Amino acid sequence: MRLLSAFLVGLIFGLGIAVSGMINPAKVLNFFDIAGTWDPSLAFVMGGALITTFIGYRFVLRRPAPVIEAKFLLPTRRDIDARLVGGSAVFGLGWGIAGFCPGAALPALGSGKWEVMVFVAALIAGIWVARIAQSRTGERAAA
Amino acid sequence: MTAIETAFTPFQSLAGGVLIGLSAVLLMFLQGRIMGATGILAGLVTGNAPGERSWRAAMVAGMVAGPLLVLAVTGQMPVVDVPVSLPMILVGGFIVGVGVTYGSGCTSGHGVCGMARLSPRSIVATLTFMVVCFATVYVIRHVLGI
């Protein structure tokens, strides 16, 4: 049940990434290139996703529990620390260099393009190294 | 390498965005979790409990099947053009991995799910990576001229 649910959720997500055009780094980079070959499409992707999630969460989170698990697993931290801002800035830098974010790269693997495989391998290496660095400094791993 | 022009696709992009939102709502409804690609991938590659890995693997399989379903229905694979060089893919990918780990999330987790919950952390994270990404693309394309 869990596996089927996860596969279905992944499929709808992957379909959304593919249909929206976020799967295409050329399109994503053009969103960020207002001074050049600007393509505002990404704002519509974010807008559609945000509005749907905002409304959907209002109904779902009113329920006592999710269907499969015993309770909702929601992040509870509200503090803004240097790690959050610094990490996000580093992510923005990498996104601007390569044109892929993790959520677009995973579905893009389905295209079979070697560039996507290289990106995902480098992405996993980055996650590994950061996790090891975090565990050495005794930090709790991020959710 | 030079930039590739892409067509403005407001309707397709909006429809795709709604699908992304639906997947996030469905995951919360069924499993009570945030739909974040960073968390899914990190849990898959660094998770120690096998029960935590299997459903994440199933989700990634579903994601990969997304564009294949588009191919099956329309007869055309969605366009994936990577307009940057191999070193930029490698360096960019590694940097994204480090950044999303320290920043605890990416476009899906912070930008969609966290923003939809009006989480102050996610709002700050999203503003930060969007602004830095705009600046990075400007510098690469218009200052360095790569």
Side-chain angles (χ1 to χ4, degrees):
Chain A
M1 188 64 192
R2 246 176 146 200
L3 294 185
L4 189 67
S5 147
F7 182 83
L8 185 70
V9 168
L11 183 65
I12 298 171
F13 181 86
L15 208 54
I17 292 288
V19 170
S20 68
M22 270 213 72
I23 197 167
N24 186 5
K27 199 169 176 66
V28 172
L29 287 174
N30 280 348
F31 172 74
F32 290 105
D33 190 11
I34 296 177
T37 49
W38 194 45
D39 175 358
S41 303
L42 190 65
F44 288 74
V45 185
M46 288 290 282
L50 249 179
I51 293 166
T52 306
T53 310
F54 184 84
I55 296 170
Y57 274 8
R58 290 296 163 287
F59 289 98
V60 169
L61 292 172
R62 215 177 282 164
R63 300 169 54 90
V67 177
I68 297 172
E69 306 293 338
K71 57 178 183 183
F72 290 109
L73 294 161
L74 299 173
T76 49
R77 284 181 62 179
R78 295 180 70 83
D79 59 308
I80 313 289
D81 59 350
R83 191 155 293 124
L84 175 80
V85 178
S88 297
V90 170
F91 164 43
L93 178 69
W95 195 11
I97 292 172
F100 271 124
C101 58
L106 293 176
L109 284 171
S111 71
K113 287 209 149 190
W114 66 267
E115 292 99 326
V116 190
M117 294 173 199
V118 171
F119 176 85
V120 172
L123 171 67
I124 290 171
I127 292 174
W128 257 119
V129 169
R131 283 287 172 117
I132 291 167
Q134 283 184 334
S135 64
R136 285 219 176 132
T137 52
E139 283 172 42
R140 280 172 54 91
Chain B
M1 266 177 234
T2 47
I4 302 166
E5 291 230 24
T6 52
F8 177 45
T9 53
F11 300 109
Q12 270 174 277
S13 290
L14 190 67
V18 168
L19 283 173
I20 294 167
L22 280 178
S23 74
V25 174
L26 194 61
L27 184 65
M28 189 60 79
F29 176 69
L30 294 171
Q31 293 181 240
R33 286 176 182 274
I34 293 287
M35 171 85 233
T38 295
I40 306 295
L41 186 60
L44 182 60
V45 296
T46 65
N48 14 33
E52 288 302 297
R53 275 190 166 170
S54 52
W55 71 267
R56 288 188 169 92
M59 185 175 291
V60 172
M63 288 181 181
V64 174
L68 298 174
L69 184 60
V70 172
L71 172 67
V73 172
T74 66
Q76 273 191 318
M77 178 62 84
V79 177
V80 180
D81 278 327
V82 186
V84 302
S85 62
L86 177 61
M88 284 170 78
I89 297 171
L90 279 169
V91 171
F94 186 84
I95 289 178
V96 168
V98 172
V100 296
T101 304
Y102 278 94
S104 312
C106 54
T107 328
S108 47
H110 280 312
V112 176
C113 298
M115 295 260 286
R117 292 177 64 224
L118 304 177
S119 152
R121 278 172 62 83
S122 291
I123 294 168
V124 169
T126 305
L127 284 175
T128 305
F129 62 67
M130 295 297 280
V131 167
V132 173
C133 195
F134 272 112
T136 304
V137 172
Y138 182 83
V139 170
I140 288 176
R141 290 194 173 177
H142 302 286
V143 179
L144 302 174
I146 299 172

